[in-house]
């Protein structure tokens, strides 16, 4: 469990243990209780047969940002429901996910994760319900 007062370095070190996110190229940029920013360079191994970014790669980025935002300064938290809308494709080289708390209760938390590309284009939005 990460305290609300954990430094960015402590948070980053803890989440380096998320091997799947690391394999996908997710990098933590900013983190604190209820908020996270994660970047992912778009590499060829993240592309689908049509040349676009695979929806699962976008979901992985959003899910990783969610994991950080809902686990800093909270009891261990897991997502129980996620809805993602894919809004646009991208030609940029990086995706950025920004996760924020909408409401944090004793057992349930509600979060929104917006994914944009490095050109500022809105790519996806995830709504998540989490349980702690």
């Amino acid at each position: 469990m990460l305290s609300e007062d954990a430094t960015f370095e402590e948070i980053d070190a803890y989440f380096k243990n998320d091997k799947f996110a690391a394999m996908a190229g997710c990098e933590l940029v900013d983190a604190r209780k209820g908020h996270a920013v994660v970047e992912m360079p778009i590499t060829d191994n993240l592309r689908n047969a049509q040349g676009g970014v695979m929806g699962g790669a976008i979901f992985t980025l959003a899910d990783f940002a969610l994991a950080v935002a809902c686990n800093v300064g909270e009891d261990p938290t897991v997502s129980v429901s996620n809805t993602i809308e894919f809004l646009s494709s991208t030609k940029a080289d990086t995706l950025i996910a920004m996760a924020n708390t909408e409401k944090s209760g004793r057992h349930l938390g509600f979060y929104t994760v917006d994914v944009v590309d490095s050109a500022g284009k809105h790519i996806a939005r995830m709504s998540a319900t989490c349980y702690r």
Side-chain angles (χ1 to χ4, degrees), residues 106-125:
R106 186 174 350 143
H107 294 291
L108 292 177
F110 301 90
Y111 297 81
T112 299
V113 184
D114 286 297
V115 179
V116 299
D117 67 15
S118 51
K121 190 175 186 183
H122 201 179
I123 304 302
R125 171 170 281 163

Side-chain angles (χ1 to χ4, degrees), residues 8 13-14 16 20 33-34 37 50 54 60 66 72 76 83 91 101 109 113 117 127 130:
F8 175 80
Y14 180 84
K16 291 276 190 222
F20 191 81
K33 182 178 179 178
V37 178
Q50 296 176 347
M54 185 75 164
T60 295
L66 171 67
V72 174
T83 303
K91 299 218 184 284
T101 305
V113 184
D117 67 15
S127 296
C130 299

